[in-house]
Amino acid sequence: MSEQFSVAIAILYRQNQFLMQLRDDIPGILYPGHWGLFGGHIESGEFPDVAVVRELQEEISYTPPIISKFGCYSDTRVVRHVYHAPLTVELDQLVLYEGWDLGLLTPEHILQGECYSEKAQDTKPLGTPHQKILLDFIKLKLYL
């Protein structure tokens, strides 16, 4: 059995939409070819709130003005430290350094569990844990 690892991920929102990354469609990563939240591994000795800001800078060249803890989701493989923050820039100001595509998904997309990607020219599913996290977040209406 593999060891559990920790990640810090961010729910970024604007105008009732959520920024998501279409993960690369390559074997060996969790949820390849699925929509997921931006973020990544927490380095040894790094605090989750520091890791999430570092990951956002590395993946999309974005630093949120404020970031808040939403919760912690754990399964047999991953501990996900989840944060939320407003997205205060336009999509064309973001630089996608990691992933296949990015997009603003509506609560309807999240509920349906899929969204079309222009770059992939296909409808792609949401990663199961990412969908659950977003549905929990939407219920609390913290982004309105």
Side-chain angles (χ1 to χ4, degrees):
M1 188 169 131
S2 62
E3 189 178 321
Q4 208 177 29
F5 60 94
S6 295
V7 298
I9 55 179
I11 300 168
L12 298 175
Y13 51 84
R14 65 176 291 146
Q15 300 167 342
N16 200 32
Q17 295 179 315
F18 302 90
L19 183 69
M20 297 195 76
Q21 171 197 53
L22 182 57
R23 295 175 57 80
D24 290 313
D25 198 6
I26 54 175
I29 66 170
L30 288 177
Y31 300 100
H34 286 64
W35 290 101
L37 297 168
F38 283 96
H41 285 82
I42 299 170
E43 305 292 336
S44 178
E46 188 176 39
F47 290 105
D49 60 332
V50 172
V52 73
V53 172
R54 176 186 52 75
E55 286 285 343
L56 291 173
Q57 190 56 230
E58 288 175 5
E59 292 183 356
I60 53 174
S61 200
Y62 178 66
T63 302
I66 185 170
I67 194 153
S68 305
K69 181 83 179 209
F70 175 61
C72 193
Y73 289 73
S74 188
D75 61 36
T76 57
R77 297 172 75 181
V78 186
V79 176
R80 292 175 180 87
H81 297 269
V82 184
Y83 292 83
H84 66 96
L87 180 64
T88 57
V89 299
E90 297 298 323
L91 286 189
D92 63 6
Q93 291 180 266
L94 300 174
V95 181
L96 184 64
Y97 290 112
E98 188 175 307
W100 193 357
D101 198 1
L102 59 76
L104 288 169
L105 278 64
T106 64
E108 292 76 22
H109 290 130
I110 293 157
L111 191 58
Q112 290 168 358
E114 61 184 22
C115 185
Y116 184 78
S117 162
E118 238 354 279
K119 284 188 184 168
Q121 294 286 296
D122 197 9
T123 298
K124 296 292 186 177
L126 270 70
T128 305
H130 302 267
Q131 183 186 27
K132 161 119 180 69
I133 290 165
L134 281 165
L135 289 172
D136 289 350
F137 187 78
I138 289 167
K139 278 183 207 160
L140 295 176
K141 299 187 184 316
L142 295 175
Y143 58 99
L144 298 176

